[in-house]
Amino acid sequence: MTEQLYKIGFYSNSVINKLQQQLAERLGKISGYDDYQLFLINSGAEANENALKLASFSNGRTRVLSAEKAFHGRTSLAVEVTNNPKIIAPINANGHVTYLPMNDLAAWEDELQKGDVCAVILECIQGVGGIKLATKEFAQGLQKLCKQYGTILICDEIQCGYGRSGRFFAHQWLDIRPDIITVAKGIANGFPMAGVLIAPDFKPVYGQLGTTFGGNHLACAAALAVLDVFEEERLVDNAHEVGTYLMEQLKKIDSPHIQDIRGRGLMIGIDLDVPHKDVRQPLIYQEHCFTGCAGQNILRLLPPLCLTKDEADQFIDKLTRILKTL
């Protein structure tokens, strides 16, 4: 990035940026979506905004189906499809969205068969929602229904994608191929960047989607460097291998306080019978180990994709010590 900064960090998207072309080619190849188009923006919420906008342009509809406990961002449409009334301001509550239980295919079919649904937006592994996983049966059935009723299927891979699940995209565990895929977070390793991968049957219309800073030279350099590391360090394979090992070791912990362990790759949820703060705070302040959380009683593990088995063992030791003190 420093090298790129000394060349050019930003210029208008009215001029072709060859780094965008390089990124589109490499991302398509590594993800298995080399026939998809790529639109670059700055954040996950912005990616979902543009995905929903594009879906509505394509079929002229306005209704959206989203999952209960979903999180898709904090702006306009992105927050409206987020199932958290505490962060949906009155100006965002426009009646576009119906929230439905994950994996209840019949409930989704009841809405889709009305024929007025613009898009379905789905995290195949919910993050903020507590590491809830879509089943293969549900995802494949949902894709089939979307095609049947002319609804656009959007997979939000902002947290669960980019290798975290042990596949490049979490939906690839489910053998589906969505119409639109949104990515952010890991795409540039913390540098502000996001993308929308768009199926080839969407024909681009000049000026329909636009951005000032999206896909700037510095962001593209960061994203290309991330793909270099992905390939050199086999990070997707590592997430699968170490994540599987970590799940196995977690399940060996003999503690009445662990109620459930679930996840894929390095995206793991631990249900506790006590508030997560009772475990999370001593992990941080006594063991110097940081975890995420969800709800009131879920530890959310999202370690770096370069995590080693030795580091996983260290976490197991720390967590075991804290659980024994409860």
Side-chain angles (χ1 to χ4, degrees), residues 21 26 40 52 60 62 72 76-77 102 121 126-127 132 140 146 158 165 183 202 204-205 223 229 264 267 278:
Q21 297 172 330
R26 289 190 60 191
L40 296 169
L52 290 162
T62 59
H72 297 291
S76 193
L77 274 172
M102 176 91 90
I121 186 166
Q126 290 185 331
K132 305 295 185 182
Q140 291 183 357
C146 284
I158 289 162
S165 74
V183 296
F202 289 84
V205 176
V229 175
R264 280 200 176 98
M267 188 170 186
D278 293 354

Side-chain angles (χ1 to χ4, degrees), residues 135-257:
T135 66
K136 182 177 286 191
E137 180 184 17
F138 170 72
Q140 291 183 357
L142 188 59
Q143 178 176 249
K144 183 178 178 181
L145 289 169
C146 284
K147 291 186 182 302
Q148 181 178 346
Y149 294 109
T151 296
I152 305 303
L153 177 58
I154 302 168
C155 279
D156 177 342
E157 293 276 352
I158 289 162
Q159 186 167 138
C160 60
Y162 245 82
R164 178 151 297 283
S165 74
R167 298 273 179 92
F168 197 87
F169 291 130
H171 70 259
Q172 290 169 324
W173 287 103
L174 307 176
D175 295 328
I176 61 171
R177 198 168 176 86
D179 302 299
I180 300 175
I181 304 162
T182 55
V183 296
K185 296 194 186 299
I187 190 172
N189 198 34
F191 193 88
M193 194 183 200
V196 184
L197 283 78
I198 305 162
D201 45 327
F202 289 84
K203 301 306 176 189
V205 176
Y206 181 79
Q208 194 174 73
L209 303 180
T211 174
T212 298
F213 297 108
N216 64 74
H217 297 73
L218 201 54
C220 286
L224 287 165
V226 165
L227 293 181
D228 288 341
V229 175
F230 261 65
E231 292 171 348
E232 291 166 8
E233 300 186 14
R234 298 176 53 253
L235 290 186
V236 180
D237 291 338
N238 188 71
H240 177 55
E241 294 165 12
V242 178
T244 299
Y245 175 78
L246 179 55
M247 288 269 287
E248 290 170 350
Q249 299 310 304
L250 285 168
K251 290 176 180 178
K252 291 178 182 178
I253 296 176
D254 183 15
S255 172
H257 298 298

Side-chain angles (χ1 to χ4, degrees), residues 89-161:
I91 198 170
N92 303 125
N94 294 309
H96 293 120
V97 185
T98 302
Y99 305 106
L100 299 169
M102 176 91 90
N103 295 325
D104 184 349
L105 187 59
W108 294 70
E109 183 172 12
D110 286 344
E111 295 299 325
L112 285 164
Q113 67 185 359
K114 295 175 183 177
D116 63 346
V117 177
C118 167
V120 163
I121 186 166
L122 182 70
E123 304 160 275
C124 291
I125 306 176
Q126 290 185 331
V128 174
I131 317 298
K132 305 295 185 182
L133 285 72
T135 66
K136 182 177 286 191
E137 180 184 17
F138 170 72
Q140 291 183 357
L142 188 59
Q143 178 176 249
K144 183 178 178 181
L145 289 169
C146 284
K147 291 186 182 302
Q148 181 178 346
Y149 294 109
T151 296
I152 305 303
L153 177 58
I154 302 168
C155 279
D156 177 342
E157 293 276 352
I158 289 162
Q159 186 167 138
C160 60

